[in-house]
Amino acid sequence: MKTQIDLFIAFFRSGMLGFGGGMSAIPLMQREVVGTFKWMDDDEFSDLLALANTLPGPINTKLSGYIGYRVAGFKGMLTALIATTVPTIILMIILLTALNAYKDTPWVQGMAKGAIPIAAVMIGVMAWDFIRVSKNAMGWVSTLGIAVLSVVAMQVFHIHPAIVVAVLIVAALLYRERSRQVEKE
């Protein structure tokens, strides 16, 4: 029962505080999963995030469902999904009803604009954490090379991020296989 409560708390907090969309909840989820409850380390979370980006659907529900399942099986998956989605759905109904009534007032418009930089900072902090993990695994040259190529692919050539992630996964698998062959020789 304690595990189910922990799962609910972890995904409730990250879901309720992740303003600005699914990606803004990811740093909060990482803090809960890696830092607070230690269900996985940064490397595992990074790998999971990369794989989740290649699949269709909202990122935070995919992550919470998988992590809940991994921690406590089917019941854990249900607990994590309920904690991620149901409170925010209820809050959305209440807040949007209230905000819609006051949408033209300056304080509501200012509140909506003020959440954007906060979400940007949270995503930036998570990105820096991922760069540090990648640097430790591959070094600065490979990390920055892949980061620059990914930015160019997505921002200049408008290639979908899922395709970029899929290409990198295939490249990593091929590199791993090639490394094994070199070790055997």
Side-chain angles (χ1 to χ4, degrees):
M1 187 65 181
K2 181 175 181 341
T3 303
Q4 299 298 325
I5 292 171
D6 288 346
L7 281 168
F8 189 87
I9 290 169
F11 291 105
F12 176 80
R13 281 195 294 222
S14 58
M16 292 300 287
L17 298 174
F19 290 94
M23 283 306 288
S24 66
I26 302 305
L28 299 167
M29 190 179 294
Q30 180 189 23
R31 175 175 287 191
E32 297 289 341
V33 169
V34 175
T36 305
F37 293 103
K38 303 187 184 331
W39 290 318
M40 60 180 58
D41 61 26
D42 277 325
D43 290 341
E44 291 173 299
F45 191 85
S46 299
D47 291 344
L48 179 60
L49 180 61
L51 289 173
N53 271 319
T54 64
L55 300 172
I59 186 74
N60 56 345
T61 52
K62 288 183 287 188
L63 287 174
S64 63
Y66 173 76
I67 294 168
Y69 181 79
R70 183 174 151 171
V71 170
F74 187 75
K75 284 174 61 178
M77 178 188 74
L78 287 178
T79 300
L81 287 174
I82 288 169
T84 300
T85 58
V86 172
T88 56
I89 291 169
I90 293 169
L91 194 58
M92 280 280 293
I93 292 169
I94 294 168
L95 278 178
L96 287 180
T97 301
L99 288 177
N100 198 32
Y102 300 102
K103 67 182 178 188
D104 295 327
T105 60
W107 70 271
V108 171
Q109 292 175 352
M111 184 178 72
K113 290 177 185 173
I116 294 171
I118 295 168
V121 168
M122 290 168 48
I123 292 169
V125 168
M126 182 183 71
W128 178 246
D129 286 346
F130 285 164
I131 286 174
R132 283 189 337 203
V133 169
S134 179
K135 189 259 316 173
N136 291 339
M138 302 186 312
W140 277 117
V141 173
S142 296
T143 298
L144 293 178
I146 290 171
V148 168
L149 288 174
S150 298
V151 168
V152 169
M154 290 185 282
Q155 295 299 313
V156 176
F157 296 108
H158 304 290
I159 296 173
H160 193 278
I163 294 171
V164 174
V165 171
V167 168
L168 289 174
I169 289 171
V170 169
L173 291 173
L174 292 175
Y175 177 77
R176 184 175 149 191
E177 189 61 35
R178 186 173 169 212
S179 296
R180 284 183 180 171
Q181 289 175 351
V182 170
E183 286 176 8
K184 288 180 181 177
E185 295 174 354

Coordinates of all heavy atoms in Angstrom, one line a residue, residues 75-130:
K75 N -1.3 -2.5 -11.0 CA -1.9 -1.6 -10.0 C -1.1 -0.3 -9.9 O -1.7 0.8 -9.8 CB -2.0 -2.2 -8.6 CG -3.2 -3.2 -8.5 CD -3.2 -4.0 -7.2 CE -3.4 -3.1 -6.1 NZ -3.5 -3.8 -4.8
G76 N 0.2 -0.4 -10.0 CA 1.1 0.7 -10.0 C 0.8 1.6 -11.2 O 0.8 2.8 -11.1
M77 N 0.6 0.9 -12.4 CA 0.4 1.7 -13.6 C -0.9 2.5 -13.5 O -1.0 3.7 -13.8 CB 0.3 0.8 -14.8 CG 0.0 1.5 -16.1 SD -0.4 0.3 -17.4 CE -2.0 -0.3 -17.0
L78 N -2.0 1.8 -13.0 CA -3.3 2.5 -12.8 C -3.1 3.7 -11.8 O -3.7 4.7 -12.0 CB -4.3 1.5 -12.3 CG -4.8 0.5 -13.4 CD1 -5.9 -0.4 -12.7 CD2 -5.4 1.2 -14.6
T79 N -2.4 3.4 -10.7 CA -2.3 4.5 -9.7 C -1.6 5.7 -10.3 O -2.0 6.8 -10.1 CB -1.5 4.0 -8.5 OG1 -2.2 2.9 -7.9 CG2 -1.3 5.0 -7.5
A80 N -0.5 5.4 -11.0 CA 0.3 6.5 -11.6 C -0.5 7.3 -12.7 O -0.5 8.5 -12.7 CB 1.6 6.0 -12.2
L81 N -1.2 6.5 -13.5 CA -2.1 7.2 -14.5 C -3.2 8.0 -13.9 O -3.5 9.1 -14.4 CB -2.6 6.2 -15.5 CG -1.6 5.6 -16.5 CD1 -2.3 4.5 -17.3 CD2 -1.0 6.6 -17.4
I82 N -3.8 7.5 -12.9 CA -4.9 8.2 -12.2 C -4.3 9.5 -11.6 O -4.9 10.6 -11.7 CB -5.6 7.3 -11.2 CG1 -6.5 6.3 -11.9 CG2 -6.5 8.2 -10.2 CD1 -7.0 5.2 -11.0
A83 N -3.2 9.3 -10.9 CA -2.6 10.5 -10.2 C -2.1 11.6 -11.2 O -2.2 12.8 -10.9 CB -1.4 10.0 -9.4
T84 N -1.7 11.1 -12.4 CA -1.3 12.1 -13.4 C -2.4 12.8 -14.1 O -2.3 14.0 -14.4 CB -0.4 11.3 -14.5 OG1 0.7 10.7 -13.9 CG2 0.1 12.3 -15.6
T85 N -3.5 12.1 -14.4 CA -4.5 12.7 -15.2 C -5.8 13.2 -14.5 O -6.2 14.3 -14.8 CB -5.0 11.6 -16.3 OG1 -5.5 10.5 -15.6 CG2 -3.9 11.3 -17.2
V86 N -6.3 12.4 -13.6 CA -7.6 12.8 -13.0 C -7.6 14.1 -12.2 O -8.4 15.0 -12.5 CB -8.2 11.7 -12.1 CG1 -9.4 12.1 -11.3 CG2 -8.5 10.4 -12.9
P87 N -6.6 14.4 -11.3 CA -6.6 15.7 -10.7 C -6.5 16.9 -11.6 O -7.1 17.9 -11.4 CB -5.4 15.6 -9.7 CG -5.2 14.2 -9.5 CD -5.5 13.5 -10.8
T88 N -5.7 16.7 -12.7 CA -5.5 17.8 -13.6 C -6.8 18.0 -14.4 O -7.1 19.2 -14.8 CB -4.3 17.7 -14.5 OG1 -4.4 16.4 -15.2 CG2 -3.0 17.7 -13.7
I89 N -7.5 17.0 -14.7 CA -8.7 17.1 -15.5 C -9.8 17.9 -14.6 O -10.4 18.8 -15.1 CB -9.3 15.7 -15.9 CG1 -8.4 15.1 -16.9 CG2 -10.7 15.8 -16.3 CD1 -8.7 13.6 -17.2
I90 N -9.9 17.5 -13.4 CA -10.8 18.2 -12.4 C -10.4 19.6 -12.3 O -11.2 20.5 -12.4 CB -10.8 17.5 -11.1 CG1 -11.5 16.1 -11.3 CG2 -11.6 18.3 -10.0 CD1 -11.3 15.2 -10.0
L91 N -9.1 19.9 -12.1 CA -8.6 21.3 -12.0 C -8.9 22.1 -13.3 O -9.2 23.2 -13.2 CB -7.1 21.2 -11.6 CG -6.5 22.5 -11.1 CD1 -7.3 23.0 -9.9 CD2 -5.1 22.4 -10.8
M92 N -8.6 21.4 -14.4 CA -8.9 22.1 -15.7 C -10.3 22.6 -15.8 O -10.6 23.7 -16.2 CB -8.6 21.2 -16.9 CG -7.2 21.0 -17.2 SD -6.6 22.4 -18.2 CE -7.4 22.2 -19.7
I93 N -11.2 21.7 -15.4 CA -12.7 22.0 -15.5 C -13.0 23.2 -14.6 O -13.6 24.2 -15.0 CB -13.5 20.8 -15.1 CG1 -13.4 19.7 -16.2 CG2 -15.0 21.2 -14.9 CD1 -14.0 18.4 -15.8
I94 N -12.5 23.2 -13.4 CA -12.7 24.3 -12.4 C -12.1 25.6 -12.9 O -12.7 26.6 -12.9 CB -12.2 23.9 -11.0 CG1 -13.1 22.7 -10.5 CG2 -12.3 25.1 -10.0 CD1 -12.5 22.1 -9.2
L95 N -10.8 25.5 -13.2 CA -10.0 26.7 -13.5 C -10.5 27.3 -14.9 O -10.6 28.5 -15.0 CB -8.5 26.4 -13.6 CG -7.8 26.4 -12.3 CD1 -6.3 26.0 -12.5 CD2 -7.9 27.7 -11.6
L96 N -10.7 26.5 -15.9 CA -11.1 27.0 -17.2 C -12.5 27.6 -17.1 O -12.8 28.6 -17.8 CB -11.0 26.0 -18.3 CG -9.6 25.6 -18.7 CD1 -9.6 24.6 -19.8 CD2 -8.8 26.9 -19.1
T97 N -13.3 27.1 -16.2 CA -14.7 27.7 -16.1 C -14.5 29.1 -15.4 O -15.1 30.1 -15.9 CB -15.5 26.8 -15.2 OG1 -15.7 25.5 -15.8 CG2 -16.9 27.4 -15.0
A98 N -13.7 29.2 -14.4 CA -13.4 30.4 -13.7 C -12.7 31.4 -14.6 O -13.0 32.6 -14.7 CB -12.7 30.2 -12.4
L99 N -11.6 30.9 -15.3 CA -10.8 31.8 -16.1 C -11.6 32.3 -17.3 O -11.4 33.5 -17.8 CB -9.5 31.1 -16.6 CG -8.5 30.9 -15.5 CD1 -7.3 30.1 -16.1 CD2 -8.0 32.2 -15.0
N100 N -12.5 31.5 -17.8 CA -13.3 31.9 -19.0 C -14.2 33.1 -18.6 O -14.4 34.0 -19.4 CB -14.1 30.7 -19.5 CG -14.6 31.0 -20.9 OD1 -13.9 31.7 -21.7 ND2 -15.7 30.4 -21.2
A101 N -14.6 33.1 -17.4 CA -15.5 34.2 -16.9 C -14.7 35.5 -16.8 O -15.3 36.5 -16.9 CB -16.1 33.8 -15.6
Y102 N -13.4 35.4 -16.5 CA -12.5 36.6 -16.3 C -11.4 36.7 -17.3 O -10.4 37.3 -17.1 CB -11.9 36.5 -14.9 CG -12.9 36.5 -13.8 CD1 -13.3 35.3 -13.1 CD2 -13.6 37.6 -13.4 CE1 -14.2 35.2 -12.1 CE2 -14.6 37.6 -12.4 CZ -14.9 36.4 -11.8 OH -15.8 36.4 -10.8
K103 N -11.5 36.1 -18.5 CA -10.4 36.0 -19.4 C -10.0 37.3 -19.9 O -8.8 37.5 -20.4 CB -10.8 35.1 -20.6 CG -11.9 35.6 -21.5 CD -12.2 34.7 -22.6 CE -13.4 35.3 -23.4 NZ -13.9 34.3 -24.4
D104 N -10.8 38.3 -19.9 CA -10.4 39.6 -20.5 C -9.8 40.6 -19.4 O -9.4 41.7 -19.7 CB -11.6 40.3 -21.1 CG -12.1 39.6 -22.3 OD1 -11.2 39.0 -23.0 OD2 -13.3 39.6 -22.6
T105 N -9.7 40.1 -18.2 CA -9.1 41.0 -17.1 C -7.6 40.9 -17.2 O -7.0 39.8 -17.5 CB -9.6 40.5 -15.7 OG1 -9.2 39.2 -15.5 CG2 -11.1 40.7 -15.6
P106 N -6.9 42.0 -16.9 CA -5.4 42.0 -17.0 C -4.7 40.9 -16.1 O -3.7 40.4 -16.5 CB -5.1 43.4 -16.6 CG -6.3 44.2 -16.8 CD -7.4 43.3 -16.6
W107 N -5.2 40.7 -14.9 CA -4.5 39.8 -14.0 C -4.6 38.3 -14.5 O -3.6 37.6 -14.4 CB -5.1 39.9 -12.6 CG -6.5 39.3 -12.4 CD1 -7.6 40.0 -12.5 CD2 -6.8 38.0 -12.0 NE1 -8.7 39.2 -12.2 CE2 -8.2 38.0 -11.9 CE3 -6.1 36.8 -11.8 CZ2 -8.9 36.8 -11.6 CZ3 -6.8 35.7 -11.4 CH2 -8.2 35.7 -11.4
V108 N -5.6 38.0 -15.2 CA -5.7 36.6 -15.8 C -4.8 36.5 -17.0 O -4.0 35.5 -17.2 CB -7.2 36.3 -16.2 CG1 -7.2 35.0 -17.0 CG2 -8.0 36.1 -15.0
Q109 N -4.7 37.6 -17.8 CA -3.8 37.6 -19.0 C -2.4 37.6 -18.5 O -1.5 36.9 -19.1 CB -4.1 38.8 -19.9 CG -5.4 38.7 -20.6 CD -5.8 39.9 -21.4 OE1 -5.1 40.9 -21.3 NE2 -6.8 39.8 -22.1
G110 N -2.1 38.3 -17.4 CA -0.7 38.3 -16.9 C -0.3 37.0 -16.3 O 0.8 36.6 -16.4
M111 N -1.2 36.4 -15.6 CA -1.0 35.1 -15.0 C -0.6 34.0 -16.1 O 0.3 33.2 -15.9 CB -2.2 34.6 -14.2 CG -2.0 33.3 -13.4 SD -3.4 32.8 -12.5 CE -4.5 32.3 -13.8
A112 N -1.4 34.0 -17.2 CA -1.1 33.1 -18.3 C 0.3 33.3 -18.9 O 1.0 32.4 -19.2 CB -2.2 33.2 -19.3
K113 N 0.6 34.6 -19.1 CA 1.9 34.9 -19.7 C 3.1 34.6 -18.7 O 4.1 34.2 -19.1 CB 2.0 36.4 -20.0 CG 1.1 36.7 -21.2 CD 1.1 38.2 -21.5 CE 0.1 38.6 -22.6 NZ 0.0 40.0 -22.8
G114 N 2.8 34.8 -17.4 CA 3.9 34.5 -16.4 C 4.3 33.1 -16.3 O 5.4 32.8 -15.9
A115 N 3.4 32.2 -16.6 CA 3.7 30.7 -16.5 C 4.7 30.3 -17.6 O 5.4 29.3 -17.4 CB 2.4 29.9 -16.6
I116 N 4.7 31.0 -18.7 CA 5.6 30.6 -19.8 C 7.1 30.6 -19.4 O 7.8 29.6 -19.6 CB 5.3 31.4 -21.1 CG1 3.9 31.1 -21.5 CG2 6.3 31.1 -22.2 CD1 3.4 32.0 -22.6
P117 N 7.6 31.7 -18.9 CA 9.0 31.7 -18.5 C 9.4 30.6 -17.4 O 10.5 30.1 -17.5 CB 9.3 33.1 -18.0 CG 8.1 33.9 -18.1 CD 7.0 33.0 -18.7
I118 N 8.5 30.4 -16.5 CA 8.7 29.4 -15.5 C 8.8 28.0 -16.1 O 9.8 27.2 -15.8 CB 7.6 29.4 -14.5 CG1 7.6 30.7 -13.7 CG2 7.7 28.2 -13.5 CD1 6.4 31.0 -12.9
A119 N 8.0 27.7 -17.1 CA 8.1 26.4 -17.8 C 9.4 26.3 -18.6 O 10.0 25.3 -18.6 CB 6.9 26.2 -18.7
A120 N 9.8 27.4 -19.2 CA 11.0 27.4 -20.0 C 12.2 27.2 -19.1 O 13.1 26.4 -19.4 CB 11.2 28.8 -20.7
V121 N 12.3 27.7 -17.9 CA 13.4 27.5 -16.9 C 13.4 26.0 -16.5 O 14.4 25.4 -16.5 CB 13.3 28.4 -15.7 CG1 14.2 28.0 -14.6 CG2 13.6 29.9 -16.1
M122 N 12.2 25.5 -16.2 CA 12.2 24.1 -15.8 C 12.7 23.1 -16.9 O 13.4 22.2 -16.6 CB 10.7 23.7 -15.4 CG 10.3 24.4 -14.1 SD 8.5 24.3 -13.7 CE 8.2 22.6 -14.0
I123 N 12.3 23.4 -18.1 CA 12.7 22.6 -19.2 C 14.2 22.8 -19.4 O 15.0 21.8 -19.7 CB 11.9 22.9 -20.5 CG1 10.5 22.4 -20.3 CG2 12.5 22.2 -21.7 CD1 9.5 22.9 -21.3
G124 N 14.7 24.0 -19.3 CA 16.2 24.3 -19.4 C 17.0 23.6 -18.4 O 18.1 23.0 -18.7
V125 N 16.5 23.5 -17.1 CA 17.2 22.8 -16.1 C 17.3 21.3 -16.4 O 18.4 20.7 -16.2 CB 16.6 23.1 -14.7 CG1 17.1 22.1 -13.6 CG2 16.7 24.5 -14.3
M126 N 16.2 20.8 -16.8 CA 16.2 19.3 -17.2 C 17.2 19.1 -18.4 O 17.9 18.1 -18.4 CB 14.8 18.9 -17.6 CG 14.7 17.4 -17.9 SD 13.1 16.9 -18.4 CE 13.0 17.6 -20.0
A127 N 17.2 20.0 -19.4 CA 18.1 19.8 -20.5 C 19.5 19.8 -20.1 O 20.3 19.0 -20.5 CB 17.8 20.9 -21.6
W128 N 19.8 20.8 -19.2 CA 21.2 20.8 -18.7 C 21.6 19.5 -17.9 O 22.7 19.0 -18.1 CB 21.4 22.0 -17.8 CG 22.8 22.1 -17.2 CD1 23.2 22.0 -15.9 CD2 24.0 22.2 -18.0 NE1 24.6 22.0 -15.8 CE2 25.1 22.2 -17.1 CE3 24.3 22.4 -19.3 CZ2 26.4 22.3 -17.5 CZ3 25.6 22.5 -19.7 CH2 26.7 22.5 -18.8
D129 N 20.7 19.0 -17.1 CA 20.9 17.7 -16.5 C 21.2 16.6 -17.5 O 22.1 15.8 -17.3 CB 19.7 17.3 -15.6 CG 19.7 18.2 -14.3 OD1 20.7 18.9 -14.0 OD2 18.6 18.2 -13.7
F130 N 20.4 16.6 -18.5 CA 20.6 15.5 -19.5 C 22.0 15.7 -20.2 O 22.6 14.7 -20.6 CB 19.5 15.5 -20.6 CG 18.2 14.9 -20.0 CD1 17.0 15.2 -20.7 CD2 18.2 14.2 -18.9 CE1 15.8 14.6 -20.3 CE2 17.0 13.6 -18.4 CZ 15.8 13.8 -19.1

